[in-house]
Amino acid sequence: MAQPNLMRYLALSALSTTLAFVSFNVLAYESELSSLKNRWEHTVTEMPKSQREAALSGLAEEISQLAEQHGDQAEVLVWKGVVLAAYARERGGLGALGDAKEARNTLERAIEIDQDGNNGSAYVTLGALYDRVPGGLISFGDSDTAEEMFQRALEIRPDGIDVNYYYAAFLQEEGNTQAAREHAERAVNGTARESRQASDEALRRDAQAMLDAL
């Protein structure tokens, strides 16, 4: 009669060990990701431009390693896309197109896991990528797709500072001044995310400057 009790104990013990390992693994990646987010915020909002490319290169390598270990976590993939997109923007030129393409592919994988793309962040970054990279035979830039990505982001987070600022910049480039002004105003009056306070406030200031110029 003792055998079933022993088997039950062993099964429960194994389950407990597995759950503890999963919990530790998740906490470990969240701690690493939180540290990377804070350093990214510092890099894009406070670091001198002359130092940003090198700093973003290091962050891109770090988040790529984290994504290799946690490729099933949408938030990790979204942040890989965000960092790579920022790195590509800072590098500029044809040499940055590979990073931009990898950012796009990573963000699309994140959306396959989480359709909201980490509260719309994946769609905002995709919109900016499709807007800024060249199109045609050179790269994947496409204004129609950019518009689609921004609209999806607005559905998820209509009061987002980043969503409205980048969409306003897109609309300004497209020559739609009235709509650009509307979204710049929404960015100025938008809600900063707790985890992205510094970068959102920087975008709020950029939106105000855009609004003054329109």
Side-chain angles (χ1 to χ4, degrees):
M1 295 295 293
Q3 189 68 15
N5 289 334
L6 176 61
M7 294 302 292
R8 188 180 300 113
Y9 169 78
L10 291 174
L12 290 172
S13 179
L15 177 61
S16 199
T17 301
T18 300
L19 291 174
F21 174 77
V22 170
S23 177
F24 173 78
N25 203 29
V26 170
L27 288 173
Y29 102 72
E30 288 182 344
S31 176
E32 288 183 57
L33 187 58
S34 177
S35 171
L36 184 140
K37 288 179 186 179
N38 290 336
R39 285 177 284 129
W40 182 87
E41 287 269 301
H42 172 75
T43 299
V44 300
T45 61
E46 298 180 39
M47 189 171 285
K49 183 171 177 57
S50 60
Q51 299 175 19
R52 273 186 228 150
E53 184 178 334
L56 286 169
S57 176
L59 291 175
E61 183 176 346
E62 186 177 333
I63 190 62
S64 294
Q65 291 174 356
L66 194 61
E68 284 182 12
Q69 299 168 15
H70 303 282
D72 59 341
Q73 298 295 327
E75 186 181 14
V76 174
L77 295 178
V78 168
W79 269 95
K80 179 182 176 182
V82 168
V83 172
L84 285 173
Y87 179 45
R89 182 172 64 247
E90 201 63 42
R91 287 183 69 188
L94 294 177
L97 293 180
D99 297 307
K101 185 175 182 180
E102 186 178 357
R104 179 199 64 179
N105 294 343
T106 302
L107 291 164
E108 288 175 347
R109 288 202 303 275
I111 289 169
E112 289 175 2
I113 299 170
D114 169 19
Q115 290 188 349
D116 281 349
N118 195 216
N119 200 25
S121 293
Y123 293 102
V124 179
T125 310
L126 280 169
L129 284 168
Y130 276 104
D131 176 32
R132 290 174 174 176
V133 303
L137 298 176
I138 299 175
S139 193
F140 60 86
D142 183 273
S143 60
D144 289 340
T145 307
E147 172 89 30
E148 181 183 341
M149 295 297 103
F150 287 129
Q151 288 292 340
R152 180 70 181 107
L154 283 166
E155 289 173 7
I156 296 168
R157 193 156 38 84
D159 64 342
I161 296 172
D162 60 327
V163 181
N164 284 286
Y165 170 74
Y166 286 114
Y167 189 38
F170 167 78
L171 291 166
Q172 185 181 25
E173 292 169 2
E174 294 291 300
N176 192 340
T177 304
Q178 182 176 348
R181 184 179 294 110
E182 175 190 337
H183 284 281
E185 286 177 352
R186 287 169 66 174
V188 169
N189 297 313
T191 303
R193 293 161 290 178
E194 187 175 341
S195 61
R196 302 277 289 275
Q197 193 81 28
S199 56
D200 276 354
E201 291 301 336
L203 290 177
R204 193 196 301 276
R205 292 190 294 271
D206 290 342
Q208 183 62 63
M210 181 191 299
L211 195 57
D212 293 343
L214 286 172

Short mmCIF file of all heavy atoms in Angstrom, two decimals, residues 29-47 52 55-56 58-59 62-63 66 75 79 82-83 193-200:
data_model
loop_
_atom_site.label_atom_id
_atom_site.label_comp_id
_atom_site.label_asym_id
_atom_site.label_seq_id
_atom_site.Cartn_x
_atom_site.Cartn_y
_atom_site.Cartn_z
N TYR A 29 15.07 36.33 -16.51
CA TYR A 29 14.99 37.11 -17.75
C TYR A 29 14.34 38.47 -17.50
O TYR A 29 14.71 39.47 -18.11
CB TYR A 29 14.30 36.32 -18.86
CG TYR A 29 12.87 36.67 -19.14
CD1 TYR A 29 12.51 37.87 -19.77
CD2 TYR A 29 11.84 35.78 -18.81
CE1 TYR A 29 11.20 38.18 -20.04
CE2 TYR A 29 10.52 36.09 -19.09
CZ TYR A 29 10.21 37.29 -19.70
OH TYR A 29 8.91 37.60 -19.97
N GLU A 30 13.36 38.52 -16.58
CA GLU A 30 12.71 39.80 -16.28
C GLU A 30 13.69 40.78 -15.66
O GLU A 30 13.66 41.97 -15.95
CB GLU A 30 11.50 39.58 -15.37
CG GLU A 30 10.33 38.93 -16.06
CD GLU A 30 9.12 38.76 -15.16
OE1 GLU A 30 9.30 38.87 -13.93
OE2 GLU A 30 8.02 38.51 -15.68
N SER A 31 14.57 40.28 -14.82
CA SER A 31 15.57 41.14 -14.19
C SER A 31 16.55 41.67 -15.24
O SER A 31 16.88 42.87 -15.25
CB SER A 31 16.33 40.34 -13.12
OG SER A 31 17.37 41.12 -12.57
N GLU A 32 17.00 40.79 -16.12
CA GLU A 32 17.92 41.22 -17.19
C GLU A 32 17.24 42.22 -18.12
O GLU A 32 17.84 43.21 -18.52
CB GLU A 32 18.39 40.01 -17.99
CG GLU A 32 19.36 39.10 -17.27
CD GLU A 32 19.84 37.97 -18.16
OE1 GLU A 32 20.39 38.26 -19.24
OE2 GLU A 32 19.62 36.80 -17.80
N LEU A 33 15.98 41.94 -18.47
CA LEU A 33 15.26 42.82 -19.39
C LEU A 33 15.02 44.18 -18.75
O LEU A 33 15.13 45.21 -19.41
CB LEU A 33 13.94 42.17 -19.80
CG LEU A 33 13.14 42.89 -20.90
CD1 LEU A 33 13.97 43.03 -22.16
CD2 LEU A 33 11.84 42.16 -21.18
N SER A 34 14.68 44.20 -17.47
CA SER A 34 14.46 45.46 -16.78
C SER A 34 15.72 46.32 -16.77
O SER A 34 15.67 47.53 -17.01
CB SER A 34 14.01 45.18 -15.33
OG SER A 34 13.85 46.38 -14.62
N SER A 35 16.86 45.68 -16.53
CA SER A 35 18.13 46.40 -16.56
C SER A 35 18.41 46.97 -17.95
O SER A 35 18.83 48.13 -18.09
CB SER A 35 19.27 45.46 -16.15
OG SER A 35 20.52 46.06 -16.35
N LEU A 36 18.14 46.17 -18.97
CA LEU A 36 18.38 46.63 -20.34
C LEU A 36 17.46 47.79 -20.70
O LEU A 36 17.89 48.76 -21.32
CB LEU A 36 18.17 45.46 -21.30
CG LEU A 36 18.48 45.77 -22.77
CD1 LEU A 36 19.19 44.59 -23.42
CD2 LEU A 36 17.21 46.09 -23.55
N LYS A 37 16.19 47.72 -20.29
CA LYS A 37 15.25 48.81 -20.55
C LYS A 37 15.75 50.12 -19.96
O LYS A 37 15.72 51.18 -20.61
CB LYS A 37 13.88 48.49 -19.94
CG LYS A 37 13.08 47.41 -20.63
CD LYS A 37 11.78 47.22 -19.86
CE LYS A 37 10.97 46.07 -20.36
NZ LYS A 37 9.72 45.89 -19.60
N ASN A 38 16.22 50.06 -18.72
CA ASN A 38 16.70 51.27 -18.05
C ASN A 38 17.90 51.85 -18.78
O ASN A 38 18.02 53.08 -18.94
CB ASN A 38 17.07 50.96 -16.61
CG ASN A 38 15.86 50.66 -15.74
OD1 ASN A 38 14.75 51.09 -16.04
ND2 ASN A 38 16.05 49.90 -14.67
N ARG A 39 18.81 50.98 -19.24
CA ARG A 39 20.00 51.48 -19.94
C ARG A 39 19.64 52.01 -21.32
O ARG A 39 20.24 52.98 -21.80
CB ARG A 39 21.06 50.38 -20.01
CG ARG A 39 21.76 50.18 -18.65
CD ARG A 39 22.77 49.05 -18.67
NE ARG A 39 22.11 47.76 -18.63
CZ ARG A 39 22.34 46.76 -19.46
NH1 ARG A 39 23.21 46.92 -20.45
NH2 ARG A 39 21.72 45.61 -19.33
N TRP A 40 18.65 51.40 -21.96
CA TRP A 40 18.18 51.91 -23.25
C TRP A 40 17.58 53.31 -23.07
O TRP A 40 17.86 54.21 -23.86
CB TRP A 40 17.14 50.96 -23.84
CG TRP A 40 16.63 51.38 -25.18
CD1 TRP A 40 17.18 51.08 -26.40
CD2 TRP A 40 15.47 52.18 -25.45
NE1 TRP A 40 16.42 51.65 -27.40
CE2 TRP A 40 15.37 52.33 -26.85
CE3 TRP A 40 14.50 52.77 -24.64
CZ2 TRP A 40 14.35 53.04 -27.47
CZ3 TRP A 40 13.48 53.50 -25.24
CH2 TRP A 40 13.40 53.63 -26.63
N GLU A 41 16.75 53.47 -22.04
CA GLU A 41 16.16 54.78 -21.76
C GLU A 41 17.25 55.84 -21.58
O GLU A 41 17.17 56.94 -22.12
CB GLU A 41 15.30 54.71 -20.49
CG GLU A 41 14.00 53.98 -20.65
CD GLU A 41 12.87 54.91 -21.04
OE1 GLU A 41 12.58 55.86 -20.30
OE2 GLU A 41 12.29 54.69 -22.12
N HIS A 42 18.27 55.50 -20.79
CA HIS A 42 19.37 56.44 -20.56
C HIS A 42 20.09 56.76 -21.87
O HIS A 42 20.43 57.92 -22.13
CB HIS A 42 20.35 55.84 -19.55
CG HIS A 42 21.61 56.64 -19.40
ND1 HIS A 42 21.66 57.84 -18.70
CD2 HIS A 42 22.88 56.43 -19.87
CE1 HIS A 42 22.88 58.33 -18.76
NE2 HIS A 42 23.63 57.50 -19.45
N THR A 43 20.31 55.74 -22.68
CA THR A 43 21.05 55.92 -23.94
C THR A 43 20.33 56.87 -24.88
O THR A 43 20.94 57.79 -25.43
CB THR A 43 21.27 54.57 -24.62
OG1 THR A 43 22.04 53.72 -23.77
CG2 THR A 43 22.01 54.74 -25.95
N VAL A 44 19.03 56.66 -25.09
CA VAL A 44 18.31 57.44 -26.10
C VAL A 44 17.85 58.81 -25.60
O VAL A 44 17.50 59.67 -26.41
CB VAL A 44 17.10 56.65 -26.65
CG1 VAL A 44 17.55 55.36 -27.30
CG2 VAL A 44 16.05 56.39 -25.58
N THR A 45 17.87 59.03 -24.30
CA THR A 45 17.38 60.32 -23.78
C THR A 45 18.47 61.20 -23.18
O THR A 45 18.32 62.43 -23.16
CB THR A 45 16.29 60.11 -22.71
OG1 THR A 45 16.83 59.39 -21.60
CG2 THR A 45 15.10 59.35 -23.28
N GLU A 46 19.55 60.60 -22.69
CA GLU A 46 20.55 61.40 -21.97
C GLU A 46 21.96 61.32 -22.55
O GLU A 46 22.76 62.24 -22.38
CB GLU A 46 20.60 60.96 -20.50
CG GLU A 46 19.29 61.15 -19.75
CD GLU A 46 19.39 60.69 -18.31
OE1 GLU A 46 20.44 60.92 -17.69
OE2 GLU A 46 18.43 60.10 -17.80
N MET A 47 22.27 60.24 -23.22
CA MET A 47 23.64 60.05 -23.69
C MET A 47 23.94 60.97 -24.88
O MET A 47 23.09 61.16 -25.76
CB MET A 47 23.84 58.59 -24.09
CG MET A 47 25.28 58.22 -24.41
SD MET A 47 25.47 56.43 -24.62
CE MET A 47 25.38 55.88 -22.89
N ARG A 52 26.12 57.29 -28.65
CA ARG A 52 24.93 56.45 -28.72
C ARG A 52 25.12 55.20 -29.57
O ARG A 52 24.64 54.12 -29.20
CB ARG A 52 23.76 57.27 -29.29
CG ARG A 52 23.01 58.03 -28.23
CD ARG A 52 21.79 58.70 -28.85
NE ARG A 52 21.74 60.09 -28.42
CZ ARG A 52 21.22 61.06 -29.12
NH1 ARG A 52 20.74 60.84 -30.33
NH2 ARG A 52 21.20 62.30 -28.64
N ALA A 55 26.89 52.48 -27.70
CA ALA A 55 26.07 51.98 -26.60
C ALA A 55 24.94 51.10 -27.13
O ALA A 55 24.66 50.02 -26.57
CB ALA A 55 25.50 53.14 -25.79
N LEU A 56 24.30 51.53 -28.20
CA LEU A 56 23.21 50.74 -28.78
C LEU A 56 23.72 49.45 -29.39
O LEU A 56 23.02 48.43 -29.37
CB LEU A 56 22.46 51.57 -29.82
CG LEU A 56 21.57 52.67 -29.25
CD1 LEU A 56 21.09 53.61 -30.35
CD2 LEU A 56 20.36 52.07 -28.52
N GLY A 58 26.14 47.64 -28.17
CA GLY A 58 26.27 46.74 -27.03
C GLY A 58 24.93 46.22 -26.55
O GLY A 58 24.77 45.03 -26.25
N LEU A 59 23.93 47.11 -26.50
CA LEU A 59 22.59 46.69 -26.08
C LEU A 59 21.97 45.72 -27.09
O LEU A 59 21.26 44.77 -26.70
CB LEU A 59 21.68 47.91 -25.91
CG LEU A 59 22.01 48.83 -24.73
CD1 LEU A 59 21.10 50.06 -24.76
CD2 LEU A 59 21.85 48.11 -23.40
N GLU A 62 23.39 42.36 -26.47
CA GLU A 62 22.86 41.81 -25.22
C GLU A 62 21.44 41.30 -25.38
O GLU A 62 21.10 40.19 -24.94
CB GLU A 62 22.92 42.89 -24.14
CG GLU A 62 22.54 42.41 -22.76
CD GLU A 62 22.70 43.51 -21.72
OE1 GLU A 62 23.54 44.41 -21.92
OE2 GLU A 62 21.96 43.47 -20.72
N ILE A 63 20.57 42.09 -26.02
CA ILE A 63 19.17 41.67 -26.17
C ILE A 63 19.06 40.51 -27.15
O ILE A 63 18.17 39.66 -27.01
CB ILE A 63 18.28 42.85 -26.60
CG1 ILE A 63 16.78 42.48 -26.51
CG2 ILE A 63 18.62 43.33 -28.01
CD1 ILE A 63 16.28 42.14 -25.15
N LEU A 66 19.69 37.47 -25.14
CA LEU A 66 18.54 37.18 -24.29
C LEU A 66 17.40 36.57 -25.11
O LEU A 66 16.70 35.66 -24.66
CB LEU A 66 18.06 38.47 -23.60
CG LEU A 66 17.09 38.32 -22.43
CD1 LEU A 66 17.71 37.52 -21.29
CD2 LEU A 66 16.64 39.69 -21.93
N GLU A 75 7.61 39.85 -25.08
CA GLU A 75 8.20 41.10 -24.59
C GLU A 75 9.68 41.18 -24.90
O GLU A 75 10.20 42.24 -25.29
CB GLU A 75 7.97 41.25 -23.09
CG GLU A 75 8.43 42.60 -22.55
CD GLU A 75 8.24 42.76 -21.06
OE1 GLU A 75 7.99 41.74 -20.38
OE2 GLU A 75 8.34 43.90 -20.57
N TRP A 79 11.41 43.96 -27.42
CA TRP A 79 12.54 44.81 -27.04
C TRP A 79 13.75 44.60 -27.93
O TRP A 79 14.50 45.55 -28.19
CB TRP A 79 12.88 44.61 -25.56
CG TRP A 79 12.11 45.60 -24.74
CD1 TRP A 79 10.92 45.40 -24.12
CD2 TRP A 79 12.44 46.97 -24.54
NE1 TRP A 79 10.49 46.57 -23.53
CE2 TRP A 79 11.41 47.55 -23.78
CE3 TRP A 79 13.51 47.77 -24.93
CZ2 TRP A 79 11.42 48.88 -23.39
CZ3 TRP A 79 13.53 49.10 -24.55
CH2 TRP A 79 12.49 49.65 -23.79
N VAL A 82 12.90 46.79 -30.82
CA VAL A 82 13.03 48.21 -30.46
C VAL A 82 14.50 48.63 -30.45
O VAL A 82 14.88 49.67 -31.01
CB VAL A 82 12.38 48.49 -29.09
CG1 VAL A 82 12.77 49.88 -28.57
CG2 VAL A 82 10.87 48.36 -29.18
N VAL A 83 15.34 47.83 -29.82
CA VAL A 83 16.77 48.16 -29.71
C VAL A 83 17.44 48.13 -31.09
O VAL A 83 18.21 49.04 -31.44
CB VAL A 83 17.49 47.20 -28.74
CG1 VAL A 83 19.00 47.43 -28.78
CG2 VAL A 83 16.96 47.39 -27.32
N ARG A 193 4.08 56.14 -20.39
CA ARG A 193 4.10 54.82 -19.77
C ARG A 193 5.06 54.83 -18.59
O ARG A 193 6.14 55.43 -18.65
CB ARG A 193 4.55 53.77 -20.79
CG ARG A 193 3.57 53.55 -21.92
CD ARG A 193 4.20 52.88 -23.10
NE ARG A 193 5.14 53.78 -23.77
CZ ARG A 193 5.88 53.43 -24.82
NH1 ARG A 193 5.78 52.22 -25.31
NH2 ARG A 193 6.70 54.30 -25.38
N GLU A 194 4.68 54.14 -17.54
CA GLU A 194 5.49 54.11 -16.32
C GLU A 194 6.88 53.54 -16.61
O GLU A 194 7.88 54.02 -16.08
CB GLU A 194 4.80 53.28 -15.25
CG GLU A 194 5.49 53.33 -13.89
CD GLU A 194 4.70 52.60 -12.82
OE1 GLU A 194 3.49 52.39 -13.00
OE2 GLU A 194 5.31 52.28 -11.78
N SER A 195 6.94 52.52 -17.47
CA SER A 195 8.22 51.87 -17.76
C SER A 195 9.03 52.61 -18.81
O SER A 195 10.20 52.28 -19.06
CB SER A 195 7.99 50.43 -18.24
OG SER A 195 7.23 50.43 -19.44
N ARG A 196 8.43 53.63 -19.45
CA ARG A 196 9.13 54.38 -20.50
C ARG A 196 9.00 55.88 -20.27
O ARG A 196 8.89 56.66 -21.21
CB ARG A 196 8.53 54.01 -21.86
CG ARG A 196 8.57 52.53 -22.23
CD ARG A 196 9.89 52.12 -22.81
NE ARG A 196 10.08 52.65 -24.13
CZ ARG A 196 9.63 52.07 -25.25
NH1 ARG A 196 8.95 50.94 -25.18
NH2 ARG A 196 9.86 52.60 -26.43
N GLN A 197 9.02 56.28 -19.00
CA GLN A 197 8.76 57.66 -18.64
C GLN A 197 9.71 58.64 -19.34
O GLN A 197 9.27 59.63 -19.93
CB GLN A 197 8.89 57.83 -17.12
CG GLN A 197 8.35 59.14 -16.58
CD GLN A 197 6.86 59.15 -16.40
OE1 GLN A 197 6.26 58.11 -16.18
NE2 GLN A 197 6.25 60.32 -16.49
N ALA A 198 11.00 58.37 -19.28
CA ALA A 198 11.98 59.30 -19.82
C ALA A 198 11.85 59.45 -21.33
O ALA A 198 11.83 60.57 -21.86
CB ALA A 198 13.40 58.85 -19.46
N SER A 199 11.76 58.33 -22.05
CA SER A 199 11.68 58.41 -23.51
C SER A 199 10.33 58.99 -23.96
O SER A 199 10.28 59.75 -24.94
CB SER A 199 11.90 57.04 -24.14
OG SER A 199 11.00 56.08 -23.64
N ASP A 200 9.25 58.68 -23.25
CA ASP A 200 7.96 59.25 -23.62
C ASP A 200 7.94 60.76 -23.38
O ASP A 200 7.39 61.52 -24.19
CB ASP A 200 6.83 58.59 -22.82
CG ASP A 200 6.35 57.29 -23.46
OD1 ASP A 200 6.82 56.97 -24.57
OD2 ASP A 200 5.52 56.59 -22.85
#
